């Protein structure tokens, strides 16, 4: 039977779809308003619904792309700042300023146990800190830090989420730990992608090793 014949049959038998509504998934709708919806109209409604879903997905992808562009731009500014730094204190001050201005993060802690940093206030050779950094194969994001790390921050505001980024040398050995913190529980979450954080950790590690090697 051709489609034209099907349509002609439906035109001649307007009650057909109503009598067989359950088979075509229309029973609930017809029971409510007693309106017979043609197959063409139903297909059009389904198409419009799929289009709405695709449009929502497209807008979501655009938002993610814009957010990624902003992160890349901020990471570029971070890299340029680090290249201009001549000593450890300039790096520490530059990181605090950059994370505040470009990433809206006011809570940052940097600790190092590199031998060349022993005279710096950033030096911390506690075993639990070194063990924490060694156990991080990638940046950690989530609500938990140990008491030692939590003590690096003021008591207020109450911090709800953290990113812990190991700082490593060319061999992969950790010589420091960078911790970013926020009072927003959704800022750093378990399901976050840590690709950009890992790249920033590599850039910061290289800058630190450069100035520490000159110390």
């Amino acid at each position: 039977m051709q489609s034209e014949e099907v349509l002609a049959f439906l035109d001649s038998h307007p009650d057909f779809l109503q009598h067989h509504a359950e088979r075509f998934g229309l029973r609930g709708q017809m029971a409510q308003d007693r309106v017979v919806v043609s197959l063409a109209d139903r297909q059009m409604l389904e198409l419009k619904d799929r289009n709405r879903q695709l449009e929502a997905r497209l807008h979501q992808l655009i938002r993610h792309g814009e957010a990624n562009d902003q992160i890349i731009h901020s990471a570029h500014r971070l890299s340029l700042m680090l290249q201009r730094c001549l000593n450890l204190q300039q790096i520490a001050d530059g990181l605090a300023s950059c994370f505040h201005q470009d990433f809206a993060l006011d809570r940052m802690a940097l600790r190092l146990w590199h031998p060349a940093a022993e005279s710096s206030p950033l030096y911390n050779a506690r075993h639990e800190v070194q063990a924490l950094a060694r156990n991080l194969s990638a940046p950690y994001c989530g609500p938990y830090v140990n008491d030692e790390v939590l003590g690096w921050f003021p008591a207020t505001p109450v911090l709800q989420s953290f990113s812990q980024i190991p700082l490593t040398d060319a061999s992969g050995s950790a010589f420091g730990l960078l911790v970013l913190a926020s009072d927003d529980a959704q800022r750093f979450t378990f399901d976050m992608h840590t690709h950009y954080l890992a790249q920033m950790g590599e850039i910061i590690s290289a800058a630190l090793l450069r100035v520490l090697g000159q110390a």
Side-chain angles (χ1 to χ4, degrees):
M1 178 177 289
Q2 300 298 319
S3 58
E4 292 80 3
E5 295 175 314
V6 174
L7 294 174
F9 174 82
L10 292 175
D11 289 338
S12 302
H13 301 79
D15 295 335
F16 178 82
L17 288 178
Q18 184 174 1
H19 293 158
H20 300 277
E22 185 173 1
R23 181 173 182 179
F24 293 98
L26 304 173
R27 182 171 184 174
Q29 179 178 344
M30 290 186 172
Q32 179 180 355
D33 52 24
R34 302 300 181 184
V35 175
V36 176
V37 179
S38 70
L39 291 177
D41 288 341
R42 178 173 174 80
Q43 290 174 342
M44 182 61 69
L45 291 173
E46 291 176 350
L47 180 60
K48 288 181 178 180
D49 184 58
R50 287 197 296 269
N51 286 341
R52 284 193 293 269
Q53 293 177 12
L54 290 173
E55 184 177 3
R57 177 60 175 162
L58 177 60
H59 287 316
Q60 183 182 48
L61 291 174
I62 291 174
R63 288 194 299 271
H64 287 171
E66 291 173 345
N68 287 340
D69 286 344
Q70 182 59 46
I71 292 174
I72 292 171
H73 175 70
S74 298
H76 178 65
R77 287 170 53 86
L78 172 67
S79 180
L80 293 177
M81 179 277 296
L82 291 171
Q83 292 183 43
R84 292 190 291 266
C85 293
L86 301 178
N87 56 56
L88 185 56
Q89 190 58 50
Q90 286 183 2
I91 289 181
D93 293 341
L95 287 175
S97 176
C98 185
F99 281 118
H100 169 70
Q101 295 181 7
D102 294 324
F103 296 93
L105 285 168
D106 295 325
R107 297 291 180 265
M108 182 209 78
L110 176 65
R111 296 296 184 271
L112 307 171
W113 47 92
H114 191 285
E118 284 190 42
S119 61
S120 169
L122 303 175
Y123 188 76
N124 186 320
R126 294 178 66 90
H127 173 73
E128 59 265 36
V129 179
Q130 297 187 43
L132 171 62
R134 284 196 303 268
N135 290 333
L136 290 174
S137 58
Y140 161 87
C141 292
Y144 305 117
V145 291
N146 62 27
D147 292 339
E148 170 69 18
V149 172
L150 189 60
W152 299 347
F153 298 94
T156 56
V158 177
L159 301 175
Q160 302 290 332
S161 63
F162 304 85
S163 175
Q164 301 176 73
I165 306 171
L167 304 173
T168 59
D169 58 23
S171 68
S173 299
F175 67 90
L177 182 67
L178 174 67
V179 182
L180 307 175
S182 174
D183 57 356
D184 179 1
Q186 299 304 313
R187 186 63 189 268
F188 300 109
T189 58
F190 284 129
D191 58 350
M192 279 186 64
H193 294 292
T194 59
H195 175 71
Y196 289 125
L197 290 171
Q199 285 189 336
M200 285 192 287
E202 293 173 357
I203 294 171
I204 295 169
S205 294
L208 287 167
L209 290 172
R210 173 174 56 82
V211 299
L212 289 172
Q214 298 172 359

